[in-house]
Amino acid sequence: AQKITQTQPGMFVQEKEAVTLDCTYDTSDQSYGLFWYKQPSSGEMIFLIYQGSYDEQNATEGRYSLNFQKARKSANLVISASQLGDSAMYFCAMREGPNGGFKTIFGAGTRLFVKA
Amino acid sequence: DGGITQSPKYLFRKEGQNVTLSCEQNLNHDAMYWYRQDPGQGLRLIYYSQIVNDFQKGDIAEGYSVSREKKESFPLTVTSAQKNPTAFYLCASRPLMGQGRVGYTFGSGTRLTVV
C-alpha cells in the first residue's frame, strides 16, 4: 500500500538559514508524482512544488527545491534563506497513476518554526 | 479571482444531526476532493469526483455522503452515522487533462464541532 512518512514532527531554523524537511514514500507504481504543501495557521493548504517520478532533474520553485532520490524513495524539501513567514506546517504528498486511481495521500506533516 | 469557496467557516453539529458543508469552485476544474484533517495529523481522503454525476469513495467515506450535480459544486454531508465528526474539512480541486504536474487548489476549510 502506498504510504508517506514524515519523521520530523517539528523543526527549528534560524532566519536566513536553509532547512531540509524529510519525506519518504512507499509505492509499487512506476508512475507517480510527489508534492509539497504549506499550511499556515489560517488553515488553507498552499501547493509549493512538484516532482514527477520520471523527472531527471530535481524540481525547484524560487526558494523551494526538492531533493529527489528515487532509489531511496525520498523526496526532501529544502527551503533556502528561511523567512519568518515560512513558519507553518508542511505536508509531503504522493499521487499515484492509474493503478492508484489518481488519488493523493498525505504524510502527517512537519511543523517548521523560524526563529528571528 | 478564481478559487474555491468553502462555507461555513465554523459549524456546530448536535448529536444525531446531519449537516452539509459547501464547496464551490470557479476554476473550471474537473476533479474535486474532500479531505478530513484531525489535530496533528495529515489529510485523509473522504470522497472525490472526476466528472459531474460521478464520485468515488476515499479511505474514510463511512458516515459521509456527497453529490456532484454541477461541475462547480461538490457539497459534503456529514450524517449522524459519522460517530466522530469533529475535525477540519478541506475541499480541493484540480484540472485533469494535461495538468498532472499541478497540485491541488484548496479552499480555506470548515471547522466542524459536535456540541
Side-chain angles (χ1 to χ4, degrees):
Chain A
Q2 53 174 312
K3 185 179 178 182
I4 298 283
T5 303
Q6 294 181 254
T7 57
Q8 305 155 314
M11 288 281 288
F12 287 86
V13 64
Q14 195 68 40
E15 192 179 11
K16 299 181 185 178
E17 293 186 348
V19 63
T20 297
L21 306 183
D22 294 341
C23 173
T24 58
Y25 60 92
D26 186 23
T27 180
S28 57
D29 208 325
Q30 296 301 309
S31 174
Y32 52 90
L34 297 157
F35 301 79
W36 278 90
Y37 291 86
K38 174 183 179 181
Q39 187 179 40
S41 56
S42 62
E44 186 168 344
M45 300 277 283
I46 303 165
F47 166 59
L48 296 177
I49 194 168
Y50 168 86
Q51 180 83 44
S53 59
Y54 294 117
D55 291 346
E56 295 182 354
Q57 305 263 354
N58 285 342
T60 61
E61 288 288 346
R63 293 187 299 110
Y64 304 108
S65 61
L66 206 152
N67 183 1
F68 181 47
Q69 298 186 45
K70 192 171 182 177
R72 297 181 59 187
K73 293 189 175 178
S74 74
N76 299 338
L77 177 70
V78 180
I79 305 174
S80 63
S82 296
Q83 302 172 356
L84 295 178
D86 293 335
S87 293
M89 282 289 289
Y90 289 82
F91 292 94
C92 180
M94 177 173 66
R95 180 193 303 151
E96 287 189 323
N99 292 335
F102 298 104
K103 293 187 293 183
T104 298
I105 61 165
F106 288 78
T110 295
R111 184 171 294 281
L112 178 66
F113 300 91
V114 180
K115 299 182 291 184
Chain B
D1 287 339
I4 296 182
T5 301
Q6 287 189 243
S7 62
K9 190 173 180 65
Y10 299 95
L11 185 58
F12 298 91
R13 192 194 92 165
K14 294 181 179 179
E15 296 283 350
Q17 198 176 42
N18 291 356
V19 292
T20 297
L21 284 60
S22 172
C23 177
E24 303 276 334
Q25 55 101 355
N26 60 1
L27 299 164
N28 199 33
H29 285 175
D30 307 286
M32 297 186 73
Y33 306 79
W34 275 106
Y35 282 90
R36 168 179 171 145
Q37 185 178 24
D38 293 284
Q41 297 187 30
L43 280 63
R44 292 184 290 168
L45 182 62
I46 304 172
Y47 268 99
Y48 64 105
S49 168
Q50 297 184 343
I51 193 170
V52 174
N53 292 323
D54 187 47
F55 48 82
Q56 285 77 41
K57 292 182 179 180
D59 300 317
I60 56 166
E62 185 176 351
Y64 300 98
S65 66
V66 293
S67 63
R68 187 88 186 274
E69 297 176 0
K70 300 186 300 181
K71 188 175 184 178
E72 302 79 17
S73 178
F74 192 42
L76 173 74
T77 297
V78 184
T79 74
S80 57
Q82 172 49 240
K83 298 306 178 187
N84 185 23
T86 295
F88 187 55
Y89 292 85
L90 283 160
C91 179
S93 72
R94 72 177 187 98
L96 283 182
M97 298 304 294
Q99 298 284 341
R101 310 183 70 83
V102 175
Y104 289 149
T105 300
F106 280 88
S108 56
T110 293
R111 193 167 299 278
L112 174 63
T113 304
V114 174
V115 296

